[in-house]
Structures are given as structure tokens and as C-alpha cells.
Amino acid sequence: SKKRKQTNKGLVLNKQLIAIILFAFSILWFCLAIIDAGGIWGALRTLMFGLFGFCSFIFPLFLLIVALFIALDKIDNNVISKLIQATILITVISSIVHVAQCNYGNTYFEAIKDAFNFYYIDGSMLGGGVWGAIFGGFMLLITGGNKLAAMISAIINEIALPLFQFPVTKK
């Protein structure tokens, strides 16, 4: 009984530590998104916008919510399912942004490279980033390059996926 209490106390401390790290990381990510600077800060900001584009403003909020759920010990099957659905929503948003801004002449891999360079070269924070280019580019591939069909496909996927429950086992 005493050993079980110590194990439970260790788990609680680990969860709190994870929550604190996620909270700090979300604040750092948000500051990177809104503050333009040079040096390592600027390189990290360029990398962040190159990878996630516009969603660089959304991800810190998402991480903050996860940190709060962990700190409040509210992680269960329903919450994990909602977090997965939120990740899918962010993916759909970045995919739609990519499809809307994609040039027709690019191949799939050129579009991914261009999506990374969209912020680096033009300074635009409104791209879909590599994350959006991977999924949005795939939607363009399966729709034959039709932007409207690719956006509709992404939206339909977002509507259909929450209908499926993601099985998560609780330990």
C-alpha cells in the first residue's frame, strides 16, 4: 500500500512536470510566432513558419489546452479523442490554406519545398507550410489538381472523421 502511494505520487509529479514543460513550450512557440527577431530566434521562427505556416498561431493554443488537461488530470478516452480531432482540424486548415495558394506548375515535392520557402523568401505567414503541403498536395494529387475539389475533399474528410471513434486504451 505504501509503495503504491509512492508510485502514484511519482506519476502525479511526472504529469505535472510534463504539463509545465508543455505550457512553457506553448508560450515559447506563441512568442516565436508573434515576435520577429534575428539570430537563433529568427532561425527558429523561419523553421516554424516553414513547417506549419499559418497554423503556427494555432498550435501554441492547442499545446496550452493539452497542458491544462494534463495538469488538471482530465486526460481520458474522450479528451484524447478530442485532441486527435483537433489535430485533424489543424491539418485540414493548413491543407486548405496550401491548396488555395498552390501554383499549378509544381510537382508534389516542389510544392512541399515551395511551401517551406514561402515564409523564408516572401516573409508571408499565411501559407500552409510543409504540413499543409503534404496533406493539401495529396488532395490536389487525388483530384487532378482541381483546387475546389481538393478543398471540398478536405472539408468532407474533416466532417466524416469525427464520426469514427478513436479507440484509446486507458491504463
Side-chain angles (χ1 to χ4, degrees), residues 3 22 28 47 60 95 120 129:
K3 192 171 188 173
L22 278 175
L28 174 65
L47 178 66
S95 297
Y120 181 70

Side-chain angles (χ1 to χ4, degrees), residues 72-130:
L72 297 173
D73 202 24
K74 297 289 183 183
I75 297 293
D76 62 4
N77 291 347
N78 190 30
V79 171
I80 292 172
S81 176
K82 296 297 181 194
L83 293 175
I84 291 170
Q85 291 171 7
T87 302
I88 293 168
L89 177 64
I90 289 171
T91 301
V92 168
I93 291 169
S94 62
S95 297
I96 289 172
V97 168
H98 171 75
V99 168
Q101 294 184 339
C102 184
N103 294 329
Y104 279 106
N106 293 347
T107 66
Y108 180 71
F109 294 107
E110 286 174 348
I112 292 172
K113 180 182 157 194
D114 288 348
F116 181 79
N117 290 326
F118 193 64
Y119 173 75
Y120 181 70
I121 294 171
D122 297 337
S124 176
M125 296 178 233
L126 301 177
V130 170

Side-chain angles (χ1 to χ4, degrees), residues 58-69:
I58 299 172
F59 272 119
L61 178 63
F62 177 65
L63 289 175
L64 181 66
I65 291 169
V66 171
L68 288 174
F69 277 126

Side-chain angles (χ1 to χ4, degrees), residues 28-45:
L28 174 65
W29 195 328
F30 179 74
C31 289
L32 277 169
I34 63 170
I35 300 171
D36 191 11
I40 294 174
W41 185 274
L44 287 173
R45 188 169 198 254

